[in-house]
Amino acid sequence: MLIILNSHLILAERGRQILKYGVPIQAPLVSYNKNHSLHYDQAKKIPSWVAEHLTAWNLKGGAERQKCNFRSDASLPEMFRSKNEDYRGSGWSRGHMAPAADHKLDQAAMNETFLLTNILPQDISNNSGFWNRFELFCRDLTKKYEDVRIISGHLMMPNGKEDVTVSIGGEKKTITQKFIKYPVIGESEVAVPTHLFKVIVADESSKGPSSLGAFIVPNEPISREHKLTEYQVPLEEIEKRSGFELLPALDKSKTKDLCSDDGCQLMSFEKFELYFIGRRIKGATTMNRLEKAWEELKIKKLTPDKDLTTAYNEKKKELSQQ
DNA sequence: CGGTGCGGCAGT
DNA sequence: ACTGCCGCACCG
């Protein structure tokens, strides 16, 4: 034991000589914000993982996303920052990892989610469609579970194969290699992830087993017929691919499967569309916009409920009087 | 809810 | 002349 300790000390001393000019660091390791915490990948200029804690109570509040701005995180050295200009005209949208709507409780906390350290290049259809419904689903879990903890982040997964010629022992051979290929955007060369992940730990009460769910979603449009459960994976797969042990203090032997427990049903696409077109009808300020929204319902073959139909008729009356 | 782009208007 | 901000219209 003493010998092992001694040798370790000798190694540590040698290490100090080798690293005379300092240990290479990636700072800050973890950024603590008011209502979310994250690890930022300074080379790729996107978050590695972003953690949140949702409860029914802390989802309520009056913070508005209209008062927020996407902006560079000035707490980072300039060379590690991404900028709005990197995203502009790139074809990729600025996707929140900690979503704004999870931070209604406090305007400053919501503002912090617009720091580009919480943002990555995301396919816009994925962002406003499937991923949006996924986020709604996460908030909905607080109706069943007291505490919902979420870690969201990115993965780079192999997405191609190529035959390459290599020389092994002086002999040339052709073998097939896998590749991970991803675009980089803007002057800062912000990495576009191939996949996004979410890990959910939901606790019904402070006692009892946690429900655990892990998901990997490709960063591309996902058509409406796809179900969330198609993207469920073992937690270890995300840990293996991300290089992070994501829940080191959780006793995995005592967890339940979230989707066996809950079903993991996303809101149907029809209900989802109806919800937002309904908001446009109820909030219409001009006759043109009202009729346009109403027309959209017909085009998309959505059937409004009684409440929406009366809201439309009253709005029509109100606007025609002006 | 999640985003985009444009036009006007101020401040350097 | 460039930049940031804000309101507005638009889309899924």
Side-chain angles (χ1 to χ4, degrees):
Chain A
M1 191 61 199
L2 191 64
I3 293 163
I4 293 167
L5 188 64
N6 272 339
S7 69
H8 182 76
L9 285 173
I10 289 162
L11 287 174
E13 178 50 34
R14 182 70 186 122
R16 274 189 287 277
Q17 289 173 348
I18 293 166
L19 296 165
K20 182 184 173 187
Y21 299 112
V23 181
I25 53 167
Q26 246 196 355
L29 289 174
V30 178
S31 156
Y32 295 96
N33 294 279
K34 291 190 82 164
N35 202 30
H36 70 282
S37 304
L38 62 85
H39 181 277
Y40 181 72
D41 186 325
Q42 296 186 138
K44 295 193 173 68
K45 299 181 175 69
I46 55 178
S48 314
W49 55 259
V50 181
E52 297 173 273
H53 172 215
L54 309 186
T55 64
W57 181 79
N58 73 20
L59 286 176
K60 291 177 184 155
E64 301 164 44
R65 70 178 285 135
Q66 280 70 26
K67 294 180 181 169
C68 300
N69 292 312
F70 289 104
R71 60 199 186 280
S72 273
D73 192 334
S75 72
L76 292 173
E78 204 277 338
M79 64 173 170
F80 297 139
R81 290 179 208 160
S82 65
K83 306 179 185 71
N84 283 327
E85 303 84 73
D86 296 322
Y87 287 82
R88 191 172 305 142
S90 69
W92 297 90
S93 74
R94 293 168 289 191
H96 283 75
M97 286 299 94
D102 290 357
H103 304 263
K104 283 228 175 84
L105 194 66
D106 181 71
Q107 190 67 52
M110 184 182 278
N111 260 305
E112 284 182 337
T113 70
F114 283 75
L115 288 167
L116 293 185
T117 33
N118 179 47
I119 303 295
L120 47 72
Q122 188 174 4
D123 174 82
I124 189 169
S125 156
N126 179 296
N127 194 359
S128 59
F130 188 86
W131 196 257
N132 193 1
R133 284 192 292 149
F134 194 2
E135 291 170 342
L136 283 164
F137 162 80
C138 291
R139 287 191 284 278
D140 238 33
L141 287 173
T142 61
K143 291 173 184 166
K144 284 188 198 170
Y145 302 91
E146 248 178 53
D147 294 282
V148 177
R149 290 182 172 82
I150 303 175
I151 304 179
S152 312
H154 84 269
L155 299 174
M156 296 299 187
M157 308 238 307
N159 47 13
K161 282 181 184 172
E162 222 174 282
D163 287 339
V164 294
T165 308
V166 293
S167 111
I168 302 168
E171 204 179 328
K172 287 199 169 174
K173 281 185 179 173
T174 298
I175 58 168
T176 304
Q177 279 190 347
K178 288 194 227 174
F179 283 86
I180 295 178
K181 184 179 156 188
Y182 56 89
V184 291
I185 59 170
E187 206 183 341
S188 316
E189 298 179 353
V190 182
V192 179
T194 66
H195 291 74
L196 309 179
F197 73 79
K198 251 186 211 298
V199 173
I200 302 168
V201 184
D203 294 336
E204 217 146 2
S205 67
S206 46
K207 297 172 191 176
S210 299
S211 295
L212 175 65
F215 306 87
I216 297 178
V217 178
N219 187 11
E220 61 191 36
I222 293 177
S223 57
R224 61 191 65 195
E225 59 271 14
H226 287 285
K227 293 180 162 72
L228 179 56
T229 47
E230 293 173 39
Y231 302 97
Q232 194 178 13
V233 296
L235 173 65
E236 297 72 43
E237 187 175 337
I238 297 176
E239 295 184 315
K240 188 171 87 179
R241 293 185 182 282
S242 70
F244 288 92
E245 198 180 339
L246 291 168
L247 300 163
L250 178 71
D251 184 350
K252 279 89 171 177
S253 68
K254 287 181 184 157
T255 58
K256 294 192 283 182
D257 171 35
L258 179 74
C259 294
S260 309
D261 203 31
D262 169 82
C264 289
Q265 296 277 352
L266 295 186
M267 180 191 286
S268 78
F269 204 88
E270 286 68 28
K271 196 179 165 191
F272 172 74
E273 278 189 312
L274 198 55
Y275 176 64
F276 292 116
I277 296 173
R279 283 173 71 123
R280 271 190 252 164
I281 288 168
K282 288 170 185 170
T285 50
T286 66
M287 189 62 99
N288 189 23
R289 296 187 67 169
L290 178 68
E291 294 297 358
K292 228 174 183 173
W294 191 250
E295 199 58 34
E296 200 175 335
L297 282 182
K298 288 180 189 169
I299 292 165
K300 291 184 170 161
K301 292 181 176 151
L302 299 167
T303 43
D305 57 16
K306 249 184 186 171
D307 179 56
L308 187 57
T309 311
T310 54
Y312 165 71
N313 286 325
E314 278 174 25
K315 200 81 194 173
K316 198 171 177 178
K317 218 183 271 178
E318 181 194 320
L319 289 171
S320 63
Q321 280 171 356
Q322 287 167 7

